[in-house]
Amino acid sequence: MKKLLFLLCAVWTAGATDAAAQRQLIDIHTDDVSLILRAAPGEEVQLLHFGGRIEDPAPLMAYESYRHPGHNTEDVAYPTFGGRNYHEAALRATHVDGDLNTELKYLSHETQRLADENVTLTTIHTTDAVQALDVDLVYTAYARENVITTHAEIRNREKGTVILHSFYSSALPLRAEKYLLTHLHGAWTHEAQVEHTLLTHGSKSISSIRGVRTTHAENPSFMLTLGSDRFDEASGEVVAGTLAWSGNFRLNFELDECQVLNILAGINPEGSEYRLHRGETFTTPEMIYTHSFEGAGGASRNLHDWGRNYGIWNGHTPTPTLLNSWEGAAFRFNARILTDMIDDAAAMGLEMFVLDDGWFGNKYPRNNDKAGLGDWEVNREKLPEGIDYIASYAHDKGLKFGIWIEPEMVNPKSELAEKHPDWIVRTPKREAPLTRNQLLLDLSNPEVQDFVFGVFDRTMQLSEHIDYIKWDANRCANSIGSSYQADDEQAHFWIEYTQGLYKVMERIRAKYPDVLIQACASGGGRVEYGALKYFDEVWTSDNTEALTRARIQYGTSLFYPALVMASHVSVTPNLQTGNVTPLKFRFDIACAGRMGMELQPKHMTEEERAEARRAIEAYKEYRDIVMQGDLYRIGTPYDEDGCYAIAYVAKDKRRAVVFAYSLRYQSRTVPVFRIPGLDPATQYTIREVNIDKPRYWFEGRSFNGELLERAGINPNFSRIYDSAVFLLEAGDGR
């Protein structure tokens, strides 16, 4: 017996030694970031490093964690439920024979540079030690943007159906003394509020189970400041991540007894059990990561660059300035009201007019939100001239034209609901709950996908002069039930609804690649890179009040570039908050994103119209810097002194635009704004725009970038709503 035990030990030792000899490093990197893994046949894939670039990672081949084998696994790339893993699993499955365990072992990997030489793709092949279940871990590295994305492809080769309980896109272990989590929270009209939490041992999750319009309360994005409990714009080590998925999501942060933070990110597993049939592959959504030694600002700029270059449809084509009809006309309009608004928009220098809700429905006319949704026929009583008349009128005035649709939803009082009750998301014998007097169509059903595509397609056929579609979605998914899904696969709805939306958008973009499309979703409901793969911009919030927008736009900017942030000037008192703000302050806030207007111009005074023309003209002068420049946040709108600024710096550092705001009464305090991101040796001439006469001592003077960063400028703000926009241009100056 002793001799047999000795032989078994010898064989195990020889096998372990042989595996160790075959270990290799998998070095995935960008210009400044490295993700380094270690693998050997028959072993789990370990993740050794995610952070700053390591030019020569070879010494990490000998890395030892000294973790006791009885205390948990090593830091693996994709932890599973089974083996020694005590953490929440990235993959938890029930195999065909009832086996609850999965242990993924390395098979091979390959790395290829894509046609775009900035991008490399690495695929790591793994399989379960016992069952015929394979998982490919796919990493895409974007060199210049310093972004690495990752997803998993789960393939069933077993003799029946495997049940997936959890199937995250990625797992990322991090090691630091402290972890400060920064994330967004909020509610409708109060989105993208920033919260900082110093993580303690145990788990914290950021999640949504709303199915549709998922980002009002939470956003699938985060920043982690490593080794510090202080959030800093310009310094410190930061890891940022954001999930490209428009459905239920979950980000889980588990700080273990070894002081390792284990991050899981992907589709929310709650209620989403997925039956993977034999021969099928399930592909998880993309998780997007970056790393910065330049604080939160550096992480944001990386994500903004990646978004514009790879994550946003037409990421280098800004949406025109526009007048939207909603807050100016709502459901009450006719052709004359709309053409008058177009005349006023053209006179103020705007570039597009958008007709919002209320233009459709005949049997059930869309005169309020209680009827007509789903019946996409032009309302003959309101617009007997048709949509082409309005769109052509806009084009004749030199404006582009856009129109509103909400194709995923339906009013019970509609011809569509009468004709296709089977298309509505509901469970037999249960009443479908109403939100905004509407129900949800089942986009997991291919027939509904055809209908939704048809809504877009037929709307585009209303006129050859339609340039822009505002795609709204005004409710979440709840009390779900699908007549299309099998009885034992009802949980598939949560995933297949989102996949159905993407299938529709793929068809739309194949036919209409140049049409501008906004993801509205009640404002702030689809602010994530899954939607932005198909949309040009998002409606940042239904709240257009400028003071509140300062925080909403600040939070959004942590992860998403100004290019996608639609921001409108609206009436006072504001319809959401009742607040009264000066017109200049409203413009100076809106011009930090994609500026537009949402009011009835006829209610403006001549002075206000002139002020609007001036602000719009100024915006066009520097808009390219806002849309494509590097963002530097100067303070935050949460700071106690109530002063906040942002700077957009052109890529060549020859121009910059600075927005400065006073968000509270300053008394005798004069704020100082130090402007980062400029070339230290370049002379910049400062000119305030959106004013009728100079106001500050530094107007027209030139200073080098070093002085502007270290000494700054001091506009004499004293009251709440004081604001200024400064254009900096390289030149000799005086």
Side-chain angles (χ1 to χ4, degrees):
M1 181 67 183
K2 289 183 179 180
K3 183 179 292 187
L4 178 59
L5 182 61
F6 173 79
L7 288 173
L8 287 172
C9 290
V11 170
W12 182 88
T13 303
T17 303
D18 185 58
Q22 296 181 60
R23 282 180 180 171
Q24 54 187 309
L25 292 182
I26 305 172
D27 180 12
I28 301 166
H29 61 264
T30 67
D31 289 350
D32 299 318
V33 177
S34 288
L35 188 151
I36 300 169
L37 306 106
R38 185 172 64 187
E43 291 189 352
E44 293 177 304
V45 179
Q46 297 179 26
L47 201 158
L48 303 182
H49 171 80
F50 177 74
R53 174 73 182 268
I54 298 175
E55 293 293 340
D56 179 17
L60 287 177
M61 186 68 78
Y63 172 80
E64 293 289 345
S65 70
Y66 302 112
R67 185 172 294 185
H68 190 282
H71 295 168
N72 213 322
T73 62
E74 300 288 343
D75 297 329
V76 298
Y78 200 69
T80 56
F81 187 87
R84 296 181 181 274
N85 180 37
Y86 304 143
H87 296 133
E88 182 176 354
L91 176 63
R92 183 168 73 87
T94 299
H95 297 278
V96 174
D97 61 2
D99 184 0
L100 300 177
N101 298 282
T102 303
E103 298 178 84
L104 296 178
K105 306 299 182 181
Y106 171 80
L107 292 174
S108 64
H109 76 277
E110 65 270 351
T111 297
Q112 57 181 312
R113 188 174 298 277
L114 303 186
D116 178 349
E117 293 189 355
N118 183 57
V119 185
T120 56
L121 180 71
T122 300
T123 303
I124 303 174
H125 305 287
T126 70
T127 192
D128 183 68
V130 175
Q131 306 284 359
L133 186 72
D134 306 325
V135 177
D136 289 348
L137 306 178
V138 184
Y139 299 89
T140 309
Y142 300 83
R144 290 188 297 272
E145 294 77 13
N146 291 308
V147 161
I148 297 174
T149 70
T150 180
H151 70 269
E153 298 174 1
I154 305 164
R155 183 169 54 259
N156 177 16
R157 294 185 294 106
E158 299 183 28
K159 294 181 179 180
T161 299
V162 173
I163 302 173
L164 304 180
H165 306 285
S166 297
F167 34 90
Y168 287 95
S169 295
S170 79
L172 182 67
L174 297 174
R175 304 163 193 82
E177 294 178 2
K178 298 177 181 178
Y179 305 91
L180 180 68
L181 174 66
T182 299
H183 66 102
L184 307 180
H185 72 97
W188 174 69
T189 70
H190 196 63
E191 299 88 350
Q193 304 300 296
V194 177
E195 190 164 82
H196 306 289
T197 303
L198 189 64
L199 293 177
T200 57
H201 292 90
S203 294
K204 176 181 174 61
S205 293
I206 299 167
S207 64
S208 173
I209 55 169
R210 296 168 187 251
V212 183
R213 209 182 67 170
T214 58
T215 61
H216 276 140
E218 304 282 356
N219 192 278
S221 308
F222 69 89
M223 287 189 179
L224 282 165
T225 302
L226 303 183
S228 174
D229 55 7
R230 179 174 176 270
F231 181 83
D232 195 288
E233 270 294 322
S235 64
E237 186 175 8
V238 170
V239 169
T242 181
L243 181 70
W245 180 245
S246 305
N248 294 349
F249 61 82
R250 187 163 185 244
L251 312 178
N252 192 66
F253 304 88
E254 182 180 0
L255 184 57
D256 69 14
E257 68 272 28
C258 300
Q259 198 59 23
V260 174
L261 182 66
N262 300 279
I263 305 169
L264 297 179
I267 294 172
N268 194 331
E270 184 172 348
S272 294
E273 179 180 281
Y274 196 88
R275 299 174 69 84
L276 189 65
H277 301 294
R278 182 180 184 181
E280 291 183 342
T281 297
F282 183 85
T283 300
T284 70
E286 207 77 28
M287 183 63 188
I288 305 150
Y289 288 111
T290 190
H291 173 275
S292 167
F293 284 119
E294 297 179 353
S300 292
R301 289 187 289 277
N302 289 347
L303 290 175
H304 295 174
D305 283 344
W306 179 86
R308 286 186 293 252
N309 292 336
Y310 297 99
I312 300 164
W313 189 268
N314 283 329
H316 294 277
T317 304
T319 301
T321 58
L322 60 86
L323 174 65
N324 184 283
S325 70
W326 179 246
E327 291 193 15
F331 295 107
R332 301 173 300 277
F333 57 81
N334 56 31
R336 179 60 184 271
I337 290 173
L338 299 180
T339 55
D340 284 353
M341 293 181 80
I342 291 169
D343 289 341
D344 291 332
M348 288 187 291
L350 293 168
E351 299 160 317
M352 183 161 67
F353 177 75
V354 177
L355 173 57
D356 211 285
D357 196 357
W359 59 267
F360 52 90
N362 286 296
K363 180 180 178 181
Y364 301 105
R366 183 71 167 173
N367 295 325
N368 51 51
D369 66 8
K370 296 180 173 61
L373 189 62
D375 301 342
W376 299 100
E377 299 173 339
V378 180
N379 183 285
R380 293 186 293 270
E381 184 176 345
K382 285 183 187 178
L383 298 174
E385 306 88 347
I387 295 299
D388 184 60
Y389 174 80
I390 307 299
S392 297
Y393 189 92
H395 273 240
D396 289 344
K397 292 293 181 177
L399 274 64
K400 294 180 182 297
F401 178 77
I403 193 168
W404 180 97
I405 60 173
E406 189 178 6
E408 299 166 71
M409 283 76 180
V410 61
N411 286 131
K413 193 174 182 180
S414 68
E415 293 182 79
L416 178 64
E418 292 172 349
K419 184 178 180 181
H420 285 291
D422 55 314
W423 285 3
I424 293 171
V425 175
R426 56 160 57 108
T427 299
K429 302 180 182 180
R430 298 186 188 276
E431 184 177 348
L434 287 174
T435 300
R436 200 176 183 252
N437 302 300
Q438 61 193 49
L439 299 166
L440 184 66
L441 296 177
D442 183 4
L443 257 182
S444 73
N445 184 337
E447 289 185 358
V448 177
Q449 295 169 25
D450 290 341
F451 169 79
V452 172
F453 171 79
V455 171
F456 191 103
D457 194 37
R458 288 189 299 275
T459 301
M460 290 299 301
Q461 306 311 312
L462 294 174
S463 172
E464 64 179 353
H465 297 309
I466 295 177
D467 308 285
Y468 173 97
I469 295 288
K470 179 178 178 179
W471 181 305
D472 214 340
N474 280 302
R475 63 158 295 155
C476 300
N478 48 25
S479 190
I480 64 103
S482 169
S483 61
Y484 174 75
Q485 300 293 334
D487 290 347
D488 61 349
E489 294 183 351
Q490 288 292 303
H492 286 205
F493 169 86
W494 294 111
I495 295 166
E496 294 193 11
Y497 183 98
T498 303
Q499 291 175 338
L501 173 66
Y502 293 163
K503 289 175 183 176
V504 171
M505 294 310 301
E506 292 280 357
R507 293 170 65 184
I508 288 171
R509 281 314 192 180
K511 187 169 183 179
Y512 299 104
D514 299 324
V515 174
L516 297 164
I517 311 178
Q518 181 192 85
C520 179
S522 294
R526 274 184 175 151
V527 183
E528 40 79 25
Y529 281 110
L532 285 170
K533 182 179 178 182
Y534 306 103
F535 291 85
D536 298 88
E537 65 171 19
V538 298
W539 180 222
T540 320
S541 175
D542 277 349
N543 187 342
T544 55
E545 192 267 308
L547 187 64
T548 310
R549 271 298 187 109
R551 288 189 175 183
I552 292 173
Q553 292 174 199
Y554 166 81
T556 303
S557 80
L558 291 177
F559 307 100
Y560 309 99
L563 176 82
V564 306
M565 290 196 299
S567 182
H568 291 181
V569 174
S570 59
V571 299
T572 58
N574 181 265
L575 297 182
Q576 287 80 33
T577 68
N579 198 16
V580 176
T581 52
L583 185 60
K584 174 175 167 48
F585 184 77
R586 282 177 271 159
F587 267 106
D588 288 351
I589 289 287
C591 288
R594 195 278 291 143
M595 188 274 290
M597 297 183 72
E598 191 145 350
L599 44 71
Q600 174 51 271
K602 291 203 176 304
H603 297 161
M604 300 172 71
T605 66
E606 284 303 317
E607 282 187 349
E608 289 173 331
R609 288 171 182 248
E611 189 172 345
R613 282 193 294 271
R614 183 183 67 199
I616 293 164
E617 183 180 2
Y619 177 72
K620 293 175 183 177
E621 186 178 1
Y622 58 74
R623 167 173 52 188
D624 61 316
I625 313 173
V626 175
M627 298 293 101
Q628 301 296 330
D630 290 327
L631 171 64
Y632 293 85
R633 293 176 289 262
I634 306 168
T636 85
Y638 294 87
D639 293 346
E640 290 186 7
D641 65 5
C643 290
Y644 165 57
I646 51 179
Y648 293 97
V649 181
K651 290 293 186 181
D652 63 2
K653 298 188 181 295
R654 300 290 293 172
R655 300 167 69 225
V657 59
V658 178
F659 298 87
Y661 310 109
S662 174
L663 306 182
R664 58 179 292 181
Y665 172 60
Q666 297 298 317
S667 183
R668 299 181 180 180
T669 301
V670 178
V672 175
F673 299 107
R674 296 178 174 86
I675 307 168
L678 304 173
D679 177 57
T682 296
Q683 292 286 121
Y684 296 92
T685 301
I686 302 178
R687 175 166 56 92
E688 186 180 3
V689 298
N690 193 19
I691 54 165
D692 54 9
K693 60 183 179 180
R695 300 192 294 172
Y696 307 116
W697 69 269
F698 46 83
E699 173 72 25
R701 296 180 179 272
S702 293
F703 309 91
N704 64 34
E706 180 186 63
L707 184 144
L708 290 170
E709 180 169 8
R710 296 181 180 179
I713 57 176
N714 61 336
N716 187 23
F717 292 172
S718 60
R719 298 170 298 178
I720 189 172
Y721 306 135
D722 279 345
S723 63
V725 182
F726 302 105
L727 185 60
L728 282 61
E729 296 180 292
D732 295 333
R734 50 179 190 193

